[in-house]
Amino acid sequence: MTPLSAQDTLQLAQFALDHADDASFWADTDGHLLYVNEAACRTLGHSSQDLRGMSLPEVSPELTPELWSQLWKEIRTRPHFAFELMLRAKDNRVFPVEMTVHRMPLPNQEVLCAFFRDVHEKKRLQQLKNEFVSTVSHELRTPMTIIRESVSQVLDGLLGEVPAPQKEALYITLSGIDRLARIINNLLDVSKMEAGKASLRWERLNLVELIREIIETFAPRAKERGLELASALPSGDMIVYADYDRLVQVFTNLVGNALKFSEKGKIEISVRERDTDVECAVSDTGLGIAREDLERVFNKFEQLSQPAVTGEKGSGLGLSICKGIIEMHQGRIWVESELGKGTSFLFTLPKRTARQIFRQKLTEELAQAAPMGGNVSAVVFEIKPLNKSNPRIEDHLRGWAVRELVETTRTQGARKTDILITDSSAVWLGLINMTKKEAARIMERILTAYRSVLGKNDLKGSVDIIATLCSYPEDVKTEKEFLRRIIGDEDPHVR
């Protein structure tokens, strides 16, 4: 067989790339397109010549200079990664694509090599499936609740005495109903996340305290199984902004799995602070996961080859839900494991301030309200302790004052659809679809009620409260000015 020359090999590679089913392009660090294959031309509706004279922001409406810079920072630290991006075709049709990018260093420049495919139809079918699952799950919930209540009444003897053999059968029935209810709830969680309808209730929380609560909850089960449940936590607080209930759900799933797949040894929950995020881990000395199964652990309905030590069977949705929750927090989750030696599930939560989260939520609401001529109002309540002679007393007083202010805000004006974010000395309230007049009335009602709380606790001379109100488009005409007025240009790192 005659070996191919370097020129022949290059021509074959070019031919294969030009005729590949997946679309592909090369771009330089400024975003200019250097090469596009035939599939990319078909997908975007442009000729190869036209595309080679364009830059990526011209074909991607969401690829801002900031995002492009962030993309390059990411690709310089990882060999390749995948993400979803919106592209715009020649006919102005905007559609989602799944894109994988690689960095190729050349002698005189760096080049980004990308492969992508249109996933619009895939998403449409996924949406139909999600709607079907959600509808069926909701329809199952009501009869399941009725059946469970009826079985419970029989077991409690409310409908007459129940013989022991029948009780045993009813307990098995009740256990099966509860398991089916968990599966239904998990299905609803997954369908909401995939449909983009799941939301987070952001709050300032101490991750160390949350983990201690998780350990306290699982300690009896671990002791019963003869397992050590330990923690590796910092000595002080670790403040993050997250959804408390959702994080509890993640830790519950991960620790529950560790108990199911550990016959002996130890389960440890740890947390450590890094430069830009906080890393949490749940590690065990259990059965471990086979290498070929590692890539599938977060798939829906996935049952791995290793059976649980306890014999329990899950729905195969728990880890998929964990992944969805962490990604909603803009974090990352992954697994490290060696068969027979144990497993570690790790996830990160970005370090964010109340200002950053409030800005993000307001920006999302403005994006919906502005084109429709809607209103968005925002109020910032700041707590100012007046007695500064003792820092410890001042911190304690500020903490109490913020908690009372949050409760007052929730009972005196904040609706479920509004944005409510707190930090160590302030409460940030976003009033959606509310005019300035309505927002001012809500603000005064909250201030009056809060000052009454201070008076009842003899603290009127110890705590002051300052409120700032701004409404769009009544006070300002641009979204940028609205954000600047209520949040400011700078983003001080108030934790």
Side-chain angles (χ1 to χ4, degrees), residues 9-27 34-42 48 100 102 104 111-116:
T9 302
L10 185 61
Q11 286 182 343
L12 283 172
Q14 177 80 45
F15 182 87
L17 190 56
D18 281 341
H19 294 83
D21 288 336
D22 281 354
S24 179
F25 66 79
W26 299 344
L34 306 175
Y35 163 83
V36 289
N37 70 353
E38 293 177 9
C41 295
R42 288 195 302 271
S48 175
T100 304
H102 305 255
M104 183 176 178
V111 173
L112 179 143
C113 178
F115 297 89
F116 65 92

PDB file of all heavy atoms in Angstrom, residues 9-27 34-42 48 100 102 104 111-116:
ATOM      1  N   THR A   9      -2.902  13.886   2.410  1.00  0.00           N
ATOM      2  CA  THR A   9      -3.555  13.819   3.723  1.00  0.00           C
ATOM      3  C   THR A   9      -4.297  15.111   4.012  1.00  0.00           C
ATOM      4  O   THR A   9      -5.438  15.100   4.499  1.00  0.00           O
ATOM      5  CB  THR A   9      -2.507  13.567   4.830  1.00  0.00           C
ATOM      6  OG1 THR A   9      -1.804  12.358   4.541  1.00  0.00           O
ATOM      7  CG2 THR A   9      -3.168  13.455   6.189  1.00  0.00           C
ATOM      8  N   LEU A  10      -3.685  16.236   3.691  1.00  0.00           N
ATOM      9  CA  LEU A  10      -4.317  17.538   3.914  1.00  0.00           C
ATOM     10  C   LEU A  10      -5.567  17.699   3.059  1.00  0.00           C
ATOM     11  O   LEU A  10      -6.606  18.183   3.530  1.00  0.00           O
ATOM     12  CB  LEU A  10      -3.312  18.647   3.591  1.00  0.00           C
ATOM     13  CG  LEU A  10      -3.759  20.088   3.890  1.00  0.00           C
ATOM     14  CD1 LEU A  10      -4.048  20.268   5.375  1.00  0.00           C
ATOM     15  CD2 LEU A  10      -2.696  21.071   3.431  1.00  0.00           C
ATOM     16  N   GLN A  11      -5.500  17.246   1.804  1.00  0.00           N
ATOM     17  CA  GLN A  11      -6.658  17.356   0.916  1.00  0.00           C
ATOM     18  C   GLN A  11      -7.809  16.471   1.389  1.00  0.00           C
ATOM     19  O   GLN A  11      -8.975  16.871   1.327  1.00  0.00           O
ATOM     20  CB  GLN A  11      -6.254  16.979  -0.508  1.00  0.00           C
ATOM     21  CG  GLN A  11      -5.416  18.036  -1.214  1.00  0.00           C
ATOM     22  CD  GLN A  11      -5.065  17.641  -2.641  1.00  0.00           C
ATOM     23  OE1 GLN A  11      -5.162  16.469  -3.017  1.00  0.00           O
ATOM     24  NE2 GLN A  11      -4.654  18.617  -3.454  1.00  0.00           N
ATOM     25  N   LEU A  12      -7.474  15.257   1.858  1.00  0.00           N
ATOM     26  CA  LEU A  12      -8.520  14.365   2.376  1.00  0.00           C
ATOM     27  C   LEU A  12      -9.181  14.944   3.631  1.00  0.00           C
ATOM     28  O   LEU A  12     -10.403  14.847   3.799  1.00  0.00           O
ATOM     29  CB  LEU A  12      -7.916  12.991   2.692  1.00  0.00           C
ATOM     30  CG  LEU A  12      -7.644  12.085   1.487  1.00  0.00           C
ATOM     31  CD1 LEU A  12      -6.869  10.842   1.922  1.00  0.00           C
ATOM     32  CD2 LEU A  12      -8.967  11.675   0.826  1.00  0.00           C
ATOM     33  N   ALA A  13      -8.361  15.522   4.514  1.00  0.00           N
ATOM     34  CA  ALA A  13      -8.909  16.137   5.721  1.00  0.00           C
ATOM     35  C   ALA A  13      -9.829  17.298   5.353  1.00  0.00           C
ATOM     36  O   ALA A  13     -10.923  17.455   5.927  1.00  0.00           O
ATOM     37  CB  ALA A  13      -7.773  16.624   6.625  1.00  0.00           C
ATOM     38  N   GLN A  14      -9.419  18.096   4.370  1.00  0.00           N
ATOM     39  CA  GLN A  14     -10.236  19.226   3.909  1.00  0.00           C
ATOM     40  C   GLN A  14     -11.549  18.717   3.310  1.00  0.00           C
ATOM     41  O   GLN A  14     -12.625  19.262   3.570  1.00  0.00           O
ATOM     42  CB  GLN A  14      -9.448  20.020   2.860  1.00  0.00           C
ATOM     43  CG  GLN A  14     -10.215  21.187   2.230  1.00  0.00           C
ATOM     44  CD  GLN A  14     -10.230  22.407   3.135  1.00  0.00           C
ATOM     45  OE1 GLN A  14      -9.212  22.753   3.689  1.00  0.00           O
ATOM     46  NE2 GLN A  14     -11.386  23.032   3.281  1.00  0.00           N
ATOM     47  N   PHE A  15     -11.462  17.655   2.513  1.00  0.00           N
ATOM     48  CA  PHE A  15     -12.657  17.075   1.889  1.00  0.00           C
ATOM     49  C   PHE A  15     -13.624  16.561   2.961  1.00  0.00           C
ATOM     50  O   PHE A  15     -14.838  16.793   2.887  1.00  0.00           O
ATOM     51  CB  PHE A  15     -12.251  15.935   0.948  1.00  0.00           C
ATOM     52  CG  PHE A  15     -13.407  15.300   0.230  1.00  0.00           C
ATOM     53  CD1 PHE A  15     -13.864  15.833  -0.976  1.00  0.00           C
ATOM     54  CD2 PHE A  15     -14.049  14.176   0.756  1.00  0.00           C
ATOM     55  CE1 PHE A  15     -14.944  15.246  -1.640  1.00  0.00           C
ATOM     56  CE2 PHE A  15     -15.119  13.601   0.100  1.00  0.00           C
ATOM     57  CZ  PHE A  15     -15.574  14.137  -1.102  1.00  0.00           C
ATOM     58  N   ALA A  16     -13.087  15.856   3.954  1.00  0.00           N
ATOM     59  CA  ALA A  16     -13.927  15.298   5.017  1.00  0.00           C
ATOM     60  C   ALA A  16     -14.623  16.410   5.799  1.00  0.00           C
ATOM     61  O   ALA A  16     -15.813  16.308   6.121  1.00  0.00           O
ATOM     62  CB  ALA A  16     -13.066  14.442   5.964  1.00  0.00           C
ATOM     63  N   LEU A  17     -13.892  17.471   6.101  1.00  0.00           N
ATOM     64  CA  LEU A  17     -14.473  18.575   6.862  1.00  0.00           C
ATOM     65  C   LEU A  17     -15.520  19.315   6.038  1.00  0.00           C
ATOM     66  O   LEU A  17     -16.598  19.664   6.533  1.00  0.00           O
ATOM     67  CB  LEU A  17     -13.361  19.533   7.302  1.00  0.00           C
ATOM     68  CG  LEU A  17     -13.727  20.624   8.307  1.00  0.00           C
ATOM     69  CD1 LEU A  17     -14.333  20.018   9.568  1.00  0.00           C
ATOM     70  CD2 LEU A  17     -12.508  21.447   8.664  1.00  0.00           C
ATOM     71  N   ASP A  18     -15.217  19.533   4.750  1.00  0.00           N
ATOM     72  CA  ASP A  18     -16.170  20.240   3.890  1.00  0.00           C
ATOM     73  C   ASP A  18     -17.486  19.488   3.754  1.00  0.00           C
ATOM     74  O   ASP A  18     -18.550  20.099   3.647  1.00  0.00           O
ATOM     75  CB  ASP A  18     -15.568  20.440   2.493  1.00  0.00           C
ATOM     76  CG  ASP A  18     -14.579  21.592   2.438  1.00  0.00           C
ATOM     77  OD1 ASP A  18     -14.628  22.439   3.349  1.00  0.00           O
ATOM     78  OD2 ASP A  18     -13.750  21.624   1.510  1.00  0.00           O
ATOM     79  N   HIS A  19     -17.425  18.157   3.754  1.00  0.00           N
ATOM     80  CA  HIS A  19     -18.625  17.348   3.499  1.00  0.00           C
ATOM     81  C   HIS A  19     -19.193  16.709   4.766  1.00  0.00           C
ATOM     82  O   HIS A  19     -20.060  15.829   4.682  1.00  0.00           O
ATOM     83  CB  HIS A  19     -18.301  16.261   2.470  1.00  0.00           C
ATOM     84  CG  HIS A  19     -17.969  16.809   1.112  1.00  0.00           C
ATOM     85  ND1 HIS A  19     -16.699  17.264   0.781  1.00  0.00           N
ATOM     86  CD2 HIS A  19     -18.745  17.010   0.012  1.00  0.00           C
ATOM     87  CE1 HIS A  19     -16.703  17.698  -0.459  1.00  0.00           C
ATOM     88  NE2 HIS A  19     -17.924  17.564  -0.960  1.00  0.00           N
ATOM     89  N   ALA A  20     -18.735  17.144   5.942  1.00  0.00           N
ATOM     90  CA  ALA A  20     -19.257  16.600   7.199  1.00  0.00           C
ATOM     91  C   ALA A  20     -20.703  17.043   7.417  1.00  0.00           C
ATOM     92  O   ALA A  20     -21.125  18.106   6.943  1.00  0.00           O
ATOM     93  CB  ALA A  20     -18.383  17.061   8.376  1.00  0.00           C
ATOM     94  N   ASP A  21     -21.484  16.215   8.123  1.00  0.00           N
ATOM     95  CA  ASP A  21     -22.872  16.576   8.424  1.00  0.00           C
ATOM     96  C   ASP A  21     -22.944  17.719   9.430  1.00  0.00           C
ATOM     97  O   ASP A  21     -23.850  18.557   9.369  1.00  0.00           O
ATOM     98  CB  ASP A  21     -23.623  15.360   8.987  1.00  0.00           C
ATOM     99  CG  ASP A  21     -23.900  14.314   7.920  1.00  0.00           C
ATOM    100  OD1 ASP A  21     -23.931  14.692   6.730  1.00  0.00           O
ATOM    101  OD2 ASP A  21     -24.067  13.133   8.271  1.00  0.00           O
ATOM    102  N   ASP A  22     -22.019  17.755  10.391  1.00  0.00           N
ATOM    103  CA  ASP A  22     -22.004  18.828  11.379  1.00  0.00           C
ATOM    104  C   ASP A  22     -21.386  20.091  10.781  1.00  0.00           C
ATOM    105  O   ASP A  22     -20.406  20.031  10.036  1.00  0.00           O
ATOM    106  CB  ASP A  22     -21.192  18.423  12.614  1.00  0.00           C
ATOM    107  CG  ASP A  22     -21.982  17.524  13.550  1.00  0.00           C
ATOM    108  OD1 ASP A  22     -23.175  17.314  13.292  1.00  0.00           O
ATOM    109  OD2 ASP A  22     -21.395  17.041  14.537  1.00  0.00           O
ATOM    110  N   ALA A  23     -21.972  21.230  11.144  1.00  0.00           N
ATOM    111  CA  ALA A  23     -21.431  22.507  10.695  1.00  0.00           C
ATOM    112  C   ALA A  23     -20.151  22.818  11.454  1.00  0.00           C
ATOM    113  O   ALA A  23     -19.992  22.438  12.613  1.00  0.00           O
ATOM    114  CB  ALA A  23     -22.460  23.609  10.918  1.00  0.00           C
ATOM    115  N   SER A  24     -19.240  23.518  10.813  1.00  0.00           N
ATOM    116  CA  SER A  24     -17.959  23.826  11.440  1.00  0.00           C
ATOM    117  C   SER A  24     -17.424  25.166  10.943  1.00  0.00           C
ATOM    118  O   SER A  24     -17.713  25.584   9.823  1.00  0.00           O
ATOM    119  CB  SER A  24     -16.936  22.723  11.138  1.00  0.00           C
ATOM    120  OG  SER A  24     -15.680  23.020  11.730  1.00  0.00           O
ATOM    121  N   PHE A  25     -16.692  25.857  11.815  1.00  0.00           N
ATOM    122  CA  PHE A  25     -15.998  27.078  11.393  1.00  0.00           C
ATOM    123  C   PHE A  25     -14.719  27.245  12.208  1.00  0.00           C
ATOM    124  O   PHE A  25     -14.558  26.648  13.270  1.00  0.00           O
ATOM    125  CB  PHE A  25     -16.892  28.322  11.548  1.00  0.00           C
ATOM    126  CG  PHE A  25     -17.257  28.669  12.964  1.00  0.00           C
ATOM    127  CD1 PHE A  25     -16.362  29.335  13.806  1.00  0.00           C
ATOM    128  CD2 PHE A  25     -18.511  28.339  13.479  1.00  0.00           C
ATOM    129  CE1 PHE A  25     -16.696  29.655  15.108  1.00  0.00           C
ATOM    130  CE2 PHE A  25     -18.854  28.653  14.780  1.00  0.00           C
ATOM    131  CZ  PHE A  25     -17.941  29.308  15.597  1.00  0.00           C
ATOM    132  N   TRP A  26     -13.816  28.063  11.684  1.00  0.00           N
ATOM    133  CA  TRP A  26     -12.624  28.482  12.422  1.00  0.00           C
ATOM    134  C   TRP A  26     -12.720  29.985  12.583  1.00  0.00           C
ATOM    135  O   TRP A  26     -13.178  30.701  11.687  1.00  0.00           O
ATOM    136  CB  TRP A  26     -11.338  28.140  11.652  1.00  0.00           C
ATOM    137  CG  TRP A  26     -11.148  26.671  11.383  1.00  0.00           C
ATOM    138  CD1 TRP A  26     -11.780  25.624  11.979  1.00  0.00           C
ATOM    139  CD2 TRP A  26     -10.258  26.095  10.426  1.00  0.00           C
ATOM    140  NE1 TRP A  26     -11.360  24.435  11.472  1.00  0.00           N
ATOM    141  CE2 TRP A  26     -10.401  24.685  10.506  1.00  0.00           C
ATOM    142  CE3 TRP A  26      -9.335  26.620   9.521  1.00  0.00           C
ATOM    143  CZ2 TRP A  26      -9.676  23.810   9.712  1.00  0.00           C
ATOM    144  CZ3 TRP A  26      -8.606  25.741   8.734  1.00  0.00           C
ATOM    145  CH2 TRP A  26      -8.775  24.354   8.832  1.00  0.00           C
ATOM    146  N   ALA A  27     -12.287  30.491  13.747  1.00  0.00           N
ATOM    147  CA  ALA A  27     -12.311  31.936  13.988  1.00  0.00           C
ATOM    148  C   ALA A  27     -11.052  32.350  14.732  1.00  0.00           C
ATOM    149  O   ALA A  27     -10.484  31.573  15.502  1.00  0.00           O
ATOM    150  CB  ALA A  27     -13.544  32.328  14.797  1.00  0.00           C
ATOM    151  N   LEU A  34     -12.583  32.568   9.706  1.00  0.00           N
ATOM    152  CA  LEU A  34     -11.487  32.266   8.773  1.00  0.00           C
ATOM    153  C   LEU A  34     -11.868  31.162   7.799  1.00  0.00           C
ATOM    154  O   LEU A  34     -11.347  31.102   6.684  1.00  0.00           O
ATOM    155  CB  LEU A  34     -10.240  31.841   9.566  1.00  0.00           C
ATOM    156  CG  LEU A  34      -9.755  32.812  10.649  1.00  0.00           C
ATOM    157  CD1 LEU A  34      -8.609  32.196  11.425  1.00  0.00           C
ATOM    158  CD2 LEU A  34      -9.331  34.140  10.024  1.00  0.00           C
ATOM    159  N   TYR A  35     -12.771  30.268   8.242  1.00  0.00           N
ATOM    160  CA  TYR A  35     -13.187  29.135   7.403  1.00  0.00           C
ATOM    161  C   TYR A  35     -14.564  28.679   7.857  1.00  0.00           C
ATOM    162  O   TYR A  35     -14.891  28.704   9.052  1.00  0.00           O
ATOM    163  CB  TYR A  35     -12.190  27.978   7.532  1.00  0.00           C
ATOM    164  CG  TYR A  35     -12.748  26.652   7.038  1.00  0.00           C
ATOM    165  CD1 TYR A  35     -12.725  26.331   5.683  1.00  0.00           C
ATOM    166  CD2 TYR A  35     -13.319  25.743   7.922  1.00  0.00           C
ATOM    167  CE1 TYR A  35     -13.262  25.145   5.228  1.00  0.00           C
ATOM    168  CE2 TYR A  35     -13.854  24.546   7.481  1.00  0.00           C
ATOM    169  CZ  TYR A  35     -13.829  24.246   6.133  1.00  0.00           C
ATOM    170  OH  TYR A  35     -14.365  23.064   5.684  1.00  0.00           O
ATOM    171  N   VAL A  36     -15.402  28.276   6.909  1.00  0.00           N
ATOM    172  CA  VAL A  36     -16.692  27.643   7.212  1.00  0.00           C
ATOM    173  C   VAL A  36     -16.881  26.482   6.259  1.00  0.00           C
ATOM    174  O   VAL A  36     -16.484  26.560   5.086  1.00  0.00           O
ATOM    175  CB  VAL A  36     -17.874  28.632   7.072  1.00  0.00           C
ATOM    176  CG1 VAL A  36     -17.873  29.664   8.181  1.00  0.00           C
ATOM    177  CG2 VAL A  36     -17.868  29.305   5.713  1.00  0.00           C
ATOM    178  N   ASN A  37     -17.475  25.386   6.745  1.00  0.00           N
ATOM    179  CA  ASN A  37     -17.709  24.262   5.838  1.00  0.00           C
ATOM    180  C   ASN A  37     -19.094  24.373   5.203  1.00  0.00           C
ATOM    181  O   ASN A  37     -19.867  25.299   5.488  1.00  0.00           O
ATOM    182  CB  ASN A  37     -17.481  22.929   6.549  1.00  0.00           C
ATOM    183  CG  ASN A  37     -18.560  22.620   7.578  1.00  0.00           C
ATOM    184  OD1 ASN A  37     -19.426  23.440   7.873  1.00  0.00           O
ATOM    185  ND2 ASN A  37     -18.513  21.421   8.134  1.00  0.00           N
ATOM    186  N   GLU A  38     -19.405  23.420   4.315  1.00  0.00           N
ATOM    187  CA  GLU A  38     -20.663  23.486   3.561  1.00  0.00           C
ATOM    188  C   GLU A  38     -21.876  23.391   4.475  1.00  0.00           C
ATOM    189  O   GLU A  38     -22.903  24.050   4.250  1.00  0.00           O
ATOM    190  CB  GLU A  38     -20.686  22.361   2.520  1.00  0.00           C
ATOM    191  CG  GLU A  38     -19.647  22.538   1.412  1.00  0.00           C
ATOM    192  CD  GLU A  38     -19.640  21.376   0.432  1.00  0.00           C
ATOM    193  OE1 GLU A  38     -20.563  20.532   0.518  1.00  0.00           O
ATOM    194  OE2 GLU A  38     -18.725  21.311  -0.409  1.00  0.00           O
ATOM    195  N   ALA A  39     -21.781  22.568   5.536  1.00  0.00           N
ATOM    196  CA  ALA A  39     -22.910  22.420   6.457  1.00  0.00           C
ATOM    197  C   ALA A  39     -23.196  23.734   7.181  1.00  0.00           C
ATOM    198  O   ALA A  39     -24.360  24.094   7.421  1.00  0.00           O
ATOM    199  CB  ALA A  39     -22.607  21.311   7.475  1.00  0.00           C
ATOM    200  N   ALA A  40     -22.146  24.492   7.534  1.00  0.00           N
ATOM    201  CA  ALA A  40     -22.341  25.790   8.182  1.00  0.00           C
ATOM    202  C   ALA A  40     -23.027  26.765   7.230  1.00  0.00           C
ATOM    203  O   ALA A  40     -23.903  27.544   7.640  1.00  0.00           O
ATOM    204  CB  ALA A  40     -20.998  26.351   8.641  1.00  0.00           C
ATOM    205  N   CYS A  41     -22.659  26.729   5.961  1.00  0.00           N
ATOM    206  CA  CYS A  41     -23.294  27.598   4.965  1.00  0.00           C
ATOM    207  C   CYS A  41     -24.771  27.271   4.829  1.00  0.00           C
ATOM    208  O   CYS A  41     -25.624  28.175   4.769  1.00  0.00           O
ATOM    209  CB  CYS A  41     -22.596  27.462   3.615  1.00  0.00           C
ATOM    210  SG  CYS A  41     -20.882  28.037   3.617  1.00  0.00           S
ATOM    211  N   ARG A  42     -25.099  25.969   4.790  1.00  0.00           N
ATOM    212  CA  ARG A  42     -26.512  25.563   4.679  1.00  0.00           C
ATOM    213  C   ARG A  42     -27.299  25.984   5.920  1.00  0.00           C
ATOM    214  O   ARG A  42     -28.428  26.473   5.820  1.00  0.00           O
ATOM    215  CB  ARG A  42     -26.613  24.043   4.498  1.00  0.00           C
ATOM    216  CG  ARG A  42     -26.166  23.529   3.153  1.00  0.00           C
ATOM    217  CD  ARG A  42     -26.637  22.095   2.935  1.00  0.00           C
ATOM    218  NE  ARG A  42     -26.145  21.203   3.983  1.00  0.00           N
ATOM    219  CZ  ARG A  42     -24.993  20.554   3.947  1.00  0.00           C
ATOM    220  NH1 ARG A  42     -24.189  20.710   2.882  1.00  0.00           N
ATOM    221  NH2 ARG A  42     -24.625  19.734   4.911  1.00  0.00           N
ATOM    222  N   SER A  48     -20.183  30.700   1.438  1.00  0.00           N
ATOM    223  CA  SER A  48     -18.893  30.605   2.119  1.00  0.00           C
ATOM    224  C   SER A  48     -18.134  31.930   2.031  1.00  0.00           C
ATOM    225  O   SER A  48     -17.525  32.380   3.011  1.00  0.00           O
ATOM    226  CB  SER A  48     -18.064  29.476   1.497  1.00  0.00           C
ATOM    227  OG  SER A  48     -16.770  29.434   2.057  1.00  0.00           O
ATOM    228  N   THR A 100     -19.476  22.752  20.152  1.00  0.00           N
ATOM    229  CA  THR A 100     -18.267  22.285  20.824  1.00  0.00           C
ATOM    230  C   THR A 100     -17.090  23.053  20.244  1.00  0.00           C
ATOM    231  O   THR A 100     -16.947  23.139  19.020  1.00  0.00           O
ATOM    232  CB  THR A 100     -18.046  20.776  20.613  1.00  0.00           C
ATOM    233  OG1 THR A 100     -19.199  20.066  21.058  1.00  0.00           O
ATOM    234  CG2 THR A 100     -16.833  20.296  21.397  1.00  0.00           C
ATOM    235  N   HIS A 102     -12.798  24.026  20.265  1.00  0.00           N
ATOM    236  CA  HIS A 102     -11.433  23.572  20.547  1.00  0.00           C
ATOM    237  C   HIS A 102     -10.482  24.730  20.231  1.00  0.00           C
ATOM    238  O   HIS A 102     -10.743  25.526  19.332  1.00  0.00           O
ATOM    239  CB  HIS A 102     -11.052  22.368  19.675  1.00  0.00           C
ATOM    240  CG  HIS A 102     -12.005  21.221  19.769  1.00  0.00           C
ATOM    241  ND1 HIS A 102     -11.729  20.085  20.465  1.00  0.00           N
ATOM    242  CD2 HIS A 102     -13.251  21.054  19.236  1.00  0.00           C
ATOM    243  CE1 HIS A 102     -12.743  19.248  20.353  1.00  0.00           C
ATOM    244  NE2 HIS A 102     -13.682  19.821  19.612  1.00  0.00           N
ATOM    245  N   MET A 104      -6.792  25.851  18.845  1.00  0.00           N
ATOM    246  CA  MET A 104      -5.660  25.352  18.064  1.00  0.00           C
ATOM    247  C   MET A 104      -4.588  26.439  17.991  1.00  0.00           C
ATOM    248  O   MET A 104      -4.765  27.457  17.321  1.00  0.00           O
ATOM    249  CB  MET A 104      -6.104  24.970  16.652  1.00  0.00           C
ATOM    250  CG  MET A 104      -4.976  24.382  15.811  1.00  0.00           C
ATOM    251  SD  MET A 104      -5.576  23.851  14.193  1.00  0.00           S
ATOM    252  CE  MET A 104      -4.043  23.272  13.468  1.00  0.00           C
ATOM    253  N   VAL A 111      -6.318  29.960  17.054  1.00  0.00           N
ATOM    254  CA  VAL A 111      -7.536  29.788  16.270  1.00  0.00           C
ATOM    255  C   VAL A 111      -8.528  28.948  17.064  1.00  0.00           C
ATOM    256  O   VAL A 111      -8.147  27.977  17.728  1.00  0.00           O
ATOM    257  CB  VAL A 111      -7.234  29.107  14.916  1.00  0.00           C
ATOM    258  CG1 VAL A 111      -8.515  28.778  14.181  1.00  0.00           C
ATOM    259  CG2 VAL A 111      -6.355  30.002  14.058  1.00  0.00           C
ATOM    260  N   LEU A 112      -9.795  29.349  17.017  1.00  0.00           N
ATOM    261  CA  LEU A 112     -10.866  28.579  17.642  1.00  0.00           C
ATOM    262  C   LEU A 112     -11.530  27.729  16.569  1.00  0.00           C
ATOM    263  O   LEU A 112     -11.948  28.255  15.522  1.00  0.00           O
ATOM    264  CB  LEU A 112     -11.871  29.532  18.276  1.00  0.00           C
ATOM    265  CG  LEU A 112     -13.096  28.898  18.961  1.00  0.00           C
ATOM    266  CD1 LEU A 112     -13.462  29.700  20.204  1.00  0.00           C
ATOM    267  CD2 LEU A 112     -14.294  28.848  18.022  1.00  0.00           C
ATOM    268  N   CYS A 113     -11.618  26.447  16.809  1.00  0.00           N
ATOM    269  CA  CYS A 113     -12.288  25.520  15.894  1.00  0.00           C
ATOM    270  C   CYS A 113     -13.594  25.072  16.541  1.00  0.00           C
ATOM    271  O   CYS A 113     -13.571  24.561  17.660  1.00  0.00           O
ATOM    272  CB  CYS A 113     -11.381  24.328  15.607  1.00  0.00           C
ATOM    273  SG  CYS A 113     -12.150  23.096  14.536  1.00  0.00           S
ATOM    274  N   ALA A 114     -14.705  25.293  15.859  1.00  0.00           N
ATOM    275  CA  ALA A 114     -16.013  24.977  16.446  1.00  0.00           C
ATOM    276  C   ALA A 114     -16.814  24.044  15.546  1.00  0.00           C
ATOM    277  O   ALA A 114     -16.759  24.145  14.317  1.00  0.00           O
ATOM    278  CB  ALA A 114     -16.798  26.264  16.690  1.00  0.00           C
ATOM    279  N   PHE A 115     -17.571  23.148  16.192  1.00  0.00           N
ATOM    280  CA  PHE A 115     -18.519  22.277  15.502  1.00  0.00           C
ATOM    281  C   PHE A 115     -19.888  22.518  16.128  1.00  0.00           C
ATOM    282  O   PHE A 115     -20.002  22.614  17.356  1.00  0.00           O
ATOM    283  CB  PHE A 115     -18.129  20.803  15.671  1.00  0.00           C
ATOM    284  CG  PHE A 115     -16.797  20.448  15.072  1.00  0.00           C
ATOM    285  CD1 PHE A 115     -15.635  20.566  15.829  1.00  0.00           C
ATOM    286  CD2 PHE A 115     -16.692  20.022  13.763  1.00  0.00           C
ATOM    287  CE1 PHE A 115     -14.398  20.259  15.285  1.00  0.00           C
ATOM    288  CE2 PHE A 115     -15.463  19.707  13.207  1.00  0.00           C
ATOM    289  CZ  PHE A 115     -14.308  19.832  13.972  1.00  0.00           C
ATOM    290  N   PHE A 116     -20.926  22.645  15.299  1.00  0.00           N
ATOM    291  CA  PHE A 116     -22.253  22.908  15.873  1.00  0.00           C
ATOM    292  C   PHE A 116     -23.341  22.266  15.018  1.00  0.00           C
ATOM    293  O   PHE A 116     -23.136  21.940  13.851  1.00  0.00           O
ATOM    294  CB  PHE A 116     -22.495  24.410  16.011  1.00  0.00           C
ATOM    295  CG  PHE A 116     -22.553  25.184  14.727  1.00  0.00           C
ATOM    296  CD1 PHE A 116     -23.765  25.408  14.082  1.00  0.00           C
ATOM    297  CD2 PHE A 116     -21.396  25.697  14.149  1.00  0.00           C
ATOM    298  CE1 PHE A 116     -23.825  26.126  12.904  1.00  0.00           C
ATOM    299  CE2 PHE A 116     -21.444  26.425  12.965  1.00  0.00           C
ATOM    300  CZ  PHE A 116     -22.666  26.638  12.341  1.00  0.00           C
TER     301      PHE A 116
END
